[in-house]
């Protein structure tokens, strides 16, 4: 699995101080995307054990609320990368059960299948949906357009629990 960067503290991609892992690659090509540079699958560095250890070191700090996974689109990947990502979120959730995991995707949750859905077993909050420039709203916390949903996945089988951050 490749990654672009790890940013912390990050206060823009979920509540509280967070650490964000940026995954390259996206085919959605949303007009007006503010992360368009992350769409290339060929950029970034291999995520190594040292990177995992560094991520864990940041997550161990008491003021870090959780991990956000963004990109690109972390769920718009081949099966090998998705399997690596699934293992990563599993390992983080096992090591830091009190930290929440947020994941951003341009897919709607209803479109996900296979390993994409497996990953969600370890994710607390999903921000789904493509960025739609005509629905852009800069007042929305943690998302860019009105169609994007913040979905609380902590309640099993409750994908309709849309969080309303105001």
């Amino acid at each position: 699995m490749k990654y672009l960067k790890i940013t912390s503290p990050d206060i823009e991609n979920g509540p509280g101080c967070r650490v964000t892992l940026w995954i390259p690659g996206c085919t959605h090509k949303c007009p007006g995307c503010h992360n368009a540079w992350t769409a290339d699958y060929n950029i970034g560095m291999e995520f190594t054990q040292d990177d995992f250890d560094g991520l864990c070191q940041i997550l161990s700090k008491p003021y870090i609320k959780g991990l956000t996974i963004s990109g690109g689109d972390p769920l718009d990947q081949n099966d090998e990368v998705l399997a690596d990502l699934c293992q990563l979120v599993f390992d983080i959730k096992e090591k830091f059960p009190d930290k929440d995991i947020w994941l951003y995707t341009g897919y709607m949750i209803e479109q996900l299948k296979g390993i994409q859905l497996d990953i969600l077993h370890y994710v607390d909050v999903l921000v789904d949906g493509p960025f739609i420039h005509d629905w852009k709203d800069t007042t929305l916390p943690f998302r860019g357009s009105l169609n994007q949903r913040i979905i609380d996945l902590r309640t099993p089988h409750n994908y309709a629990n849309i969080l309303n951050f105001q």
Side-chain angles (χ1 to χ4, degrees), residues 26-60:
C26 181
T27 59
H28 301 298
K29 308 279 191 251
C30 301
C33 174
H34 71 280
N35 287 341
W37 70 275
T38 67
D40 187 348
Y41 289 92
N42 298 311
I43 61 175
M45 305 155 282
E46 285 300 316
F47 189 80
T48 66
Q49 183 64 47
D50 286 343
D51 296 315
F52 177 78
D53 294 343
L55 186 62
C56 290
Q57 183 177 9
I58 298 168
L59 282 165
S60 71

Side-chain angles (χ1 to χ4, degrees), residues 108-128 149-163:
M108 302 300 289
I109 195 171
E110 296 84 3
Q111 297 174 295
L112 302 178
K113 58 187 178 210
I115 301 171
Q116 294 169 321
L117 288 173
D118 293 341
I119 291 168
L120 297 188
H121 291 291
Y122 312 109
V123 170
D124 298 292
V125 176
L126 179 72
V127 181
D128 79 342
R149 302 176 295 181
I150 300 174
I151 305 171
D152 184 346
L153 300 174
R154 292 172 284 205
T155 305
H157 310 294
N158 188 9
Y159 296 152
N161 190 8
I162 310 299
L163 299 176

Side-chain angles (χ1 to χ4, degrees), residues 85-104:
L85 184 59
C86 191
Q87 185 65 54
L88 173 71
V89 292
F90 172 80
D91 291 343
I92 294 294
K93 190 51 84 176
E94 285 288 304
K95 192 168 182 79
F96 301 100
D98 295 333
K99 306 282 183 168
D100 63 8
I101 299 176
W102 281 48
L103 189 142
Y104 282 78

